[in-house]
Amino acid sequence: MNALVIDFALVWESLPAMLNGLWTTMLVTIIVLVLGLIFCIPLTLARMSSNRVFALPAAFFVMFFRGAPLLILLYLVYYGFGQIEALRDGPLWFIFGSAFACAVIGLTLNHLAFMVDVVRGSLEAVPAGLSEASNSLGIAPRDTFRYIQLPLAMRYGIKAYQNEVVMLTKGTAVISVITIIDLTAVANEVFERTYDPFTPMLTVAAFYWVLVNVMRLGFRRLESHLNRHHAAEDARRNEKPVKTIGSLLFHPSSWLKAKRLMLVARKEHAL
C-alpha cells in the first residue's frame, strides 16, 4: 500500500489560488457575522416579547432556519429564486442573480437562527434583580438594557458565540456548490486537474485550522478583557500580605518572642 505523501511542489504552485480562496472565505464570514450582529438583537427581543404578534413569527423563523440544512438553503436561494420570473425581471435580481450575495443571504439566515438562541440564553442568564433594582432607581428600561443587561449578556454568552462563529467559518465550505471560488472550490479544481485528493484537501484543512485557532485566540483575549475585573479580584485575593512594622509589633507571636527575650536577658543579668 502506497504511503500518503503530500506534494509540496503542488502546494506551492496552488498557493496563490488558495490565498484568493481564503480571502473569499474570510470576506463571506465577516459580512455574515456583521449582519448577524445587526439583526440578532431585534429578532431576539421579538422572540422574547410577550406580544404574540412579534413572538410567534420570530419563533417560526428560528424553528424553520435552524432545522433547514444549510446546503438546501443555498440551493433554494440561488437556484430556486432564479426560477421565479417576477423576481428575475424585478429590481431585486441584482441581488439574487449574484452567487456571492445568495451565499451571504443563505448563511445569514442560518446563522441568525442560532444567534437568536445564543443571545436569548445570555439575556435570560442576567439576574432579574438587576432589572428590578434599576426600575426602583428610576432608570429607563432602554438604558437598563443598554448599560446593564447587554454588557452582562455579552460576558455570559461569549463562549456560545465563539462556538457559533467557528461553526459558521467551517460551514462556509459548502458555498462552492453555487459557483463561488472559495477554499473548497480551489481544492476541488486542483484535485480535478491533478487527481491528487490529499494534497489540496489537507492544505485547505490546514488553512481552516489556522483560521479557526486565530479566532479562538482572539475570543480568549476578548473574554479576558470582558472579565478583567475577576482577574484583578483573584490577584488581590492571592497576593501575600506585606509585613509592616505595625503588624510585627501588634502580632501576638511577636509579643511572645519579645517576652521570652526579656526573660532570658533578666536571667543573664541576675547571673
Side-chain angles (χ1 to χ4, degrees):
M1 182 176 180
N2 295 329
L4 304 180
V5 179
I6 297 179
D7 188 351
F8 290 100
L10 181 59
V11 172
W12 181 256
E13 177 186 347
S14 59
L15 186 60
M18 291 281 187
L19 292 176
N20 288 333
L22 176 64
W23 166 247
T24 302
T25 298
M26 293 176 60
L27 185 60
V28 171
T29 302
I30 292 172
I31 294 176
V32 172
L33 289 177
V34 171
L35 293 176
L37 290 175
I38 292 174
F39 291 108
C40 72
I41 298 296
L43 194 57
T44 302
L45 295 179
R47 178 73 177 84
M48 299 175 65
S49 175
S50 58
N51 191 338
R52 291 189 175 184
V53 176
F54 300 106
L56 289 180
F60 177 78
F61 175 90
V62 173
M63 180 182 64
F64 178 80
F65 286 106
R66 281 194 66 176
L70 178 57
L71 186 60
I72 301 301
L73 286 178
L74 292 176
Y75 277 135
L76 287 176
V77 174
Y78 185 64
Y79 295 110
F81 287 164
Q83 303 301 319
I84 302 175
E85 184 176 354
L87 189 60
R88 287 201 308 268
D89 299 334
L92 295 179
W93 182 244
F94 79 96
I95 295 177
F96 292 98
S98 168
F100 187 88
C102 289
V104 170
I105 292 172
L107 287 170
T108 302
L109 292 174
N110 181 265
H111 176 61
L112 265 177
F114 288 94
M115 278 297 299
V116 168
D117 281 342
V118 170
V119 177
R120 182 167 68 94
S122 302
L123 289 174
E124 291 178 348
V126 177
L130 294 177
S131 300
E132 296 173 358
S134 300
N135 293 332
S136 65
L137 292 174
I139 302 176
R142 181 179 61 183
D143 293 335
T144 300
F145 176 79
R146 181 180 178 183
Y147 296 109
I148 298 176
Q149 291 179 309
L150 192 58
L152 286 175
M154 290 175 59
R155 294 172 184 170
Y156 295 151
I158 190 69
K159 286 290 187 182
Y161 182 62
Q162 172 187 333
N163 294 334
E164 173 56 25
V165 171
V166 170
M167 294 300 296
L168 169 66
T169 303
K170 294 190 291 186
T172 58
V174 302
I175 63 177
S176 60
V177 300
I178 57 173
T179 69
I180 294 182
I181 309 301
D182 68 329
L183 273 173
T184 306
V186 174
N188 286 329
E189 188 274 331
V190 173
F191 164 62
E192 292 171 358
R193 178 167 49 87
T194 62
Y195 296 100
D196 179 4
F198 297 103
T199 298
M201 295 302 174
L202 291 177
T203 304
V204 168
F207 273 112
Y208 273 109
W209 184 88
V210 172
L211 185 59
V212 166
N213 280 278
V214 168
M215 290 180 175
R216 287 180 60 251
L217 292 176
F219 274 105
R220 184 178 300 176
R221 295 290 300 272
L222 178 61
E223 184 180 7
S224 300
H225 176 72
L226 293 177
N227 297 307
R228 60 189 182 278
H229 57 287
H230 291 309
E233 291 176 0
D234 293 339
R236 286 195 299 267
R237 191 181 301 114
N238 295 329
E239 66 181 1
K240 295 181 179 180
V242 179
K243 292 185 177 181
T244 61
I245 297 176
S247 64
L248 293 175
L249 289 176
F250 295 101
H251 197 275
S253 62
S254 299
W255 279 103
L256 291 175
K257 291 179 180 178
K259 189 174 181 180
R260 290 173 184 172
L261 290 175
M262 290 175 62
L263 291 175
V264 171
R266 287 178 182 176
K267 290 179 179 179
E268 292 180 352
H269 181 71
L271 293 175

